[in-house]
Amino acid sequence: MADYGEKHEYEEDPVAHPHHQSGGLTENEQFGEVKRDLKSRHLQMIAIGGTIGTGIFLSSGGSVAGAGPLGALISYTIVGASTAPCYQSLTNASCFGYFCACVQKSKCLTQQPYLSLGTMVFFIVTSLGEMASYLPLPGAFSTFGARFVDPALGFGLGIGYAFQWIITVTIEVTAAGMILQYWWPNLQMWIPALIFIVILVGITLLGVKAFGELEYWFALIKVLTCVIFIIVGILVDVGAVGGEFIGGKNWHIEGAPIVGDTARDKTVNIFTTCVWAFFSFGGTELVGITAGESANPGKAVPRAIRHTFWRILLFYILTIMVIGLVLPWTDQSLLDSTFADVNQAAPIAPFTTIFKMAKLPGADHAINAVLLTAVLSAGQSAFYASTRTLMAMGREGKMPAIFGRVNSRGVPLYSLAVVTLIASIAFVADIVGSGVVFKWLVNLTGMSALLTWLSISIIHLRFRAAFKAQGRSIKDLPYVAPFFPYSCYLSILLALMILFLQGYQAVTADPFSVEGVVAVFVGAPVFFLSILIWKVYHKTKIVPLLEVDLDSGRPTIVQGISHHVEVKGEEEEKLPVWKKILRFVA
């Protein structure tokens, strides 16, 4: 597949490197050069793969069971689509903590509603895309928080985000070991999990190009599985395969299309699933991190954002629609697959059930194989995000400088060593102990995703305010986020709403659990305490708008790339229809 406008070189912007002018060492001379080897297709599939996880294949029926077929669709419009893993799928720990910690791909307490959160996701990724395409730095929003708001905010975001992904490494390799137990029930889970850690470390050592290529193919497998499922599901619904016409009758059974006896109950069910939907879309912000190693971030990041959001939304809405059409919301397997362990859920998952209705042999084994690629993809992303975040913090002085150093392949070896060590300790604590220690490590990261997304909107408001205060033109931005500033205001409002609903769920749970309430909120004090400690110790202040650094680290593209992109864009317009369809999917 061609990658347009990406084969070029970067030169340092003199304005962006004042130390170089004064005779000091540049960042590359001090820490080593980060490799810009990620192409446009890599960024797009990394963003997609970051949101399509095991939950879409296993527990997507939970949203239909919880809110009804229409209720699930409405919910995902507000928030988005995908799946957040639930720690309960791996152990008997609190699911709320796991919700937030593993914002990627494993198993979910109840799958998320698809239409509603899409609004928030769209605004968050466009805000991040505007900043990341202008300043493609490895630290992304943690760096932006320090530059545009307060250095203390950047420290809090970086620590929380890195730790969240480190814990995700442990979660994903554990899930991978359990998935293999479906084929080999007597296999000791820790053996393949340990092997997967070694494999993921090896992939990371190969450099960002290997990560991008493997993630591209892993994500493509998941995307094609969703596409095949949608097509097969439609054929089953209309009776073309399976032998029975279903049509829309499952939308007209008792309790459908929105579950609830009263209007209040229906509203609560829809917005409850919105909370679950939020955590399912975690991972889309990863595109901001990858901008720091993109070959042409000014073109690739906006393209990834424009295309990826609509692809994900389309895949997820059609997936949840197919499930709601083919399977009644009262089908017990929808909840059974949601709450089952990951090594037991494949035979009763909605994907498997509908494939079996189409009389496709080996559906459970195929889905189990896809699950394995999903968790390995998540593990890859976890290593990448955590090591690059620590690397950026090391270069910015928020962590020991040694964390910022990279080898000749552009890999931050010391950051990788720390991530591997902490993830391994957490893994041992989970396997050897009763799981209590690991559960609370997970809970500590509980609000990381929500606070990160909330902060991105606040940071974007400050970025634009500084841009205006310094007399710069919006035309200088490679990508302009639509509906600004109202998009940020709405995202902040939705984030606060999700925070309230999450707390409401914990407080009103039956039976009431103090541990459950603490599990939801324990991450917030840790986040704000880290900000406070950095702020007090370093005596930081909110950065004045006229002093906001909008230049350092911004690369200058040379060799007439804009013309190259224009020519290639014309060639793309001449592609045959079938190639355009393939390009849309992959």
Side-chain angles (χ1 to χ4, degrees):
M1 179 181 296
D3 294 293
Y4 302 120
E6 297 172 316
K7 295 183 179 180
H8 56 73
E9 297 176 358
Y10 279 78
E11 65 178 13
E12 293 181 352
D13 188 338
V15 178
H17 297 276
H19 296 295
H20 184 70
Q21 285 182 303
S22 60
L25 294 176
T26 65
E27 185 175 280
N28 286 342
E29 291 171 339
Q30 183 178 358
F31 297 104
E33 183 181 1
V34 172
K35 303 300 181 182
R36 290 188 173 273
D37 288 334
L38 290 177
K39 301 176 181 178
S40 179
R41 64 184 177 91
H42 294 145
L43 263 64
Q44 293 185 46
M45 295 306 279
I46 286 170
I48 293 174
T51 56
I52 300 179
T54 60
I56 184 63
F57 304 115
L58 295 181
S59 30
S60 47
S63 59
V64 176
L70 179 58
L73 286 173
I74 292 173
S75 300
Y76 269 90
T77 303
I78 297 171
V79 186
S82 186
T83 305
C86 173
Y87 187 56
Q88 189 175 13
S89 65
L90 303 180
T91 69
N92 292 321
S94 165
C95 198
F96 272 114
Y98 189 82
F99 250 141
C100 307
C102 187
V103 278
Q104 277 257 107
K105 317 160 194 173
S106 248
K107 245 294 327 254
C108 168
L109 173 64
T110 29
Q111 175 63 358
Q112 300 75 356
Y114 278 79
L115 273 181
S116 37
L117 223 32
T119 303
M120 180 181 180
V121 173
F122 177 70
F123 291 150
I124 292 294
V125 296
T126 53
S127 290
L128 181 58
E130 178 178 296
M131 296 183 289
S133 58
Y134 183 79
L135 281 171
L137 304 173
F141 39 84
S142 64
T143 300
F144 300 153
R147 284 198 188 189
F148 307 152
V149 184
D150 190 312
L153 175 61
F155 175 76
L157 283 172
I159 287 293
Y161 195 68
F163 188 65
Q164 163 197 312
W165 283 101
I166 291 172
I167 296 301
T168 299
V169 170
T170 303
I171 291 167
E172 299 303 342
V173 297
T174 303
M178 295 181 70
I179 287 171
L180 289 179
Q181 287 180 331
Y182 180 71
W183 290 310
W184 298 284
N186 297 325
L187 179 66
Q188 293 295 316
M189 180 269 295
W190 66 269
I191 297 176
L194 182 60
I195 293 173
F196 285 134
I197 288 181
V198 174
I199 291 174
L200 292 175
V201 170
I203 293 172
T204 305
L205 286 171
L206 292 176
V208 70
K209 188 173 183 178
F211 162 74
E213 201 62 40
L214 285 170
E215 188 64 16
Y216 174 84
W217 292 106
F218 278 151
L220 184 58
I221 290 172
K222 294 182 288 186
V223 168
L224 292 178
T225 302
C226 289
V227 171
I228 293 170
F229 170 77
I230 291 168
I231 295 173
V232 171
I234 292 174
L235 293 176
V236 170
D237 186 62
V238 300
V241 295
E244 179 186 356
F245 176 81
I246 301 174
K249 69 179 183 181
N250 288 326
W251 280 52
H252 299 285
I253 63 176
E254 184 178 357
I258 302 177
V259 175
D261 295 330
T262 65
R264 178 185 177 278
D265 291 341
K266 293 178 180 180
T267 302
V268 169
N269 286 336
I270 289 174
F271 279 93
T272 296
T273 46
C274 278
V275 177
W276 301 328
F278 164 75
F279 294 112
S280 68
F281 231 109
T284 50
E285 77 283 343
L286 189 62
V287 71
I289 303 290
T290 58
E293 294 179 88
S294 168
N296 189 354
K299 297 294 180 181
V301 173
R303 182 183 292 124
I305 289 171
R306 292 190 190 101
H307 294 179
T308 299
F309 172 77
W310 297 112
R311 291 174 184 178
I312 293 174
L313 202 60
L314 178 63
F315 293 150
Y316 276 97
I317 289 177
L318 290 179
T319 296
I320 207 72
M321 183 188 72
V322 166
I323 293 172
L325 285 172
V326 177
L327 301 177
W329 72 272
T330 54
D331 191 320
Q332 187 60 38
S333 69
L334 296 178
L335 288 178
D336 288 345
S337 63
T338 297
F339 287 98
D341 286 341
V342 71
N343 59 339
Q344 300 173 346
I348 55 176
F351 271 57
T352 306
T353 301
I354 293 177
F355 281 147
K356 286 182 177 179
M357 292 174 69
K359 296 180 170 53
L360 297 178
D364 53 337
H365 295 287
I367 293 300
N368 208 54
V370 172
L371 296 180
L372 186 59
T373 65
V375 296
L376 290 178
S377 171
Q380 270 201 136
S381 297
F383 265 108
Y384 179 82
S386 55
T387 55
R388 268 48 179 191
T389 300
L390 290 178
M391 178 189 74
M393 295 182 71
R395 294 184 171 213
E396 295 164 4
K398 299 183 182 66
M399 292 291 284
I402 195 172
F403 286 1
R405 296 179 186 173
V406 298
N407 64 8
S408 59
R409 292 179 178 271
V411 178
L413 291 178
Y414 298 100
S415 293
L416 176 59
V418 169
V419 169
T420 305
L421 177 62
I422 297 176
S424 299
I425 292 173
F427 175 73
V428 172
D430 185 32
I431 300 302
V432 176
S434 61
V436 175
V437 174
F438 182 63
K439 179 186 71 174
W440 284 104
L441 287 175
V442 168
N443 289 337
L444 285 175
T445 67
M447 304 191 85
S448 180
L450 184 60
L451 292 172
T452 294
W453 283 23
L454 178 63
S455 298
I456 287 173
S457 295
I458 295 172
I459 292 168
H460 188 206
L461 289 170
R462 287 280 300 176
F463 171 72
R464 280 290 194 96
F467 220 76
K468 181 179 180 180
Q470 295 182 21
R472 306 195 183 210
S473 172
I474 299 300
K475 295 180 180 179
D476 294 335
L477 296 173
Y479 173 74
V480 177
F483 308 114
F484 180 89
Y486 306 106
S487 56
C488 293
Y489 298 148
L490 182 58
S491 295
I492 292 171
L493 179 63
L494 288 173
L496 294 175
M497 180 195 74
I498 292 169
L499 176 62
F500 169 78
L501 289 173
Q502 192 181 358
Y504 175 81
Q505 283 182 321
V507 173
T508 60
D510 186 18
F512 175 78
S513 169
V514 174
E515 181 181 348
V517 176
V518 175
V520 170
F521 293 106
V522 70
V526 174
F527 173 75
F528 290 110
L529 182 61
S530 64
I531 293 176
L532 181 62
I533 291 174
W534 188 268
K535 189 171 185 65
V536 171
Y537 184 79
H538 292 277
K539 297 181 174 60
T540 66
K541 296 180 180 179
I542 294 178
V543 182
L545 294 178
L546 293 177
E547 297 179 17
V548 167
D549 184 1
L550 297 172
D551 294 304
S552 295
R554 186 181 178 208
T556 300
I557 304 176
V558 296
Q559 298 181 353
I561 298 308
S562 60
H563 172 70
H564 180 63
V565 173
E566 181 179 350
V567 172
K568 290 292 185 180
E570 292 174 0
E571 293 178 1
E572 186 174 11
E573 292 298 322
K574 298 176 182 179
L575 291 175
V577 175
W578 70 270
K579 282 191 176 182
K580 289 183 179 181
I581 295 174
L582 180 61
R583 183 155 298 172
F584 176 80
V585 174

